[in-house]
Amino acid sequence: MAPQYGPRRARIAFSDSAAKQLENITSEAEIHALDRALVVVSVDPDAGEPIPGDTAGPQLRQYTDDIEQVRVLYFVTALRTVVVVAYIEV
């Protein structure tokens, strides 16, 4: 019998500005907190709240983890396989 796997995670990609923000994070605690938030978003891209705005482009979403003090702005690609992180706040 073939093994059964859970749902497939979306791949996380970073915009240029988010990548620069990521380079500036040096605290082990902040990295851990951000990792936890990114796992949540990769498992369930709908976990964040939609940000009202222009409907011409992809829907921008915001995921906030109040316990870990992390906020991530992102959008999900059309095929829902990639989450592009646009902004990180730790």
Side-chain angles (χ1 to χ4, degrees):
M1 181 171 187
Q4 292 189 350
Y5 300 102
R8 185 176 174 158
R9 288 185 181 184
R11 189 172 58 97
I12 299 289
F14 296 95
S15 68
D16 291 341
S17 61
K20 284 186 187 253
Q21 289 173 309
L22 193 59
E23 290 174 4
N24 294 328
I25 298 174
T26 57
S27 163
E28 183 90 17
E30 289 178 341
I31 292 170
H32 176 72
L34 179 60
D35 280 347
R36 287 175 48 100
L38 294 176
V39 166
V40 169
V41 170
S42 72
V43 170
D44 181 11
D46 293 325
E49 301 172 359
I51 296 176
D54 188 9
T55 58
Q59 174 69 54
L60 194 59
R61 302 183 69 83
Q62 168 181 272
Y63 175 76
T64 304
D65 184 331
D66 294 328
I67 296 170
E68 296 284 353
Q69 302 295 312
V70 175
R71 180 174 164 230
V72 177
L73 300 181
Y74 66 98
F75 65 89
V76 182
T77 60
L79 296 177
R80 304 191 58 76
T81 58
V82 178
V83 173
V84 179
V85 175
Y87 175 79
I88 300 167
E89 186 176 285
V90 181

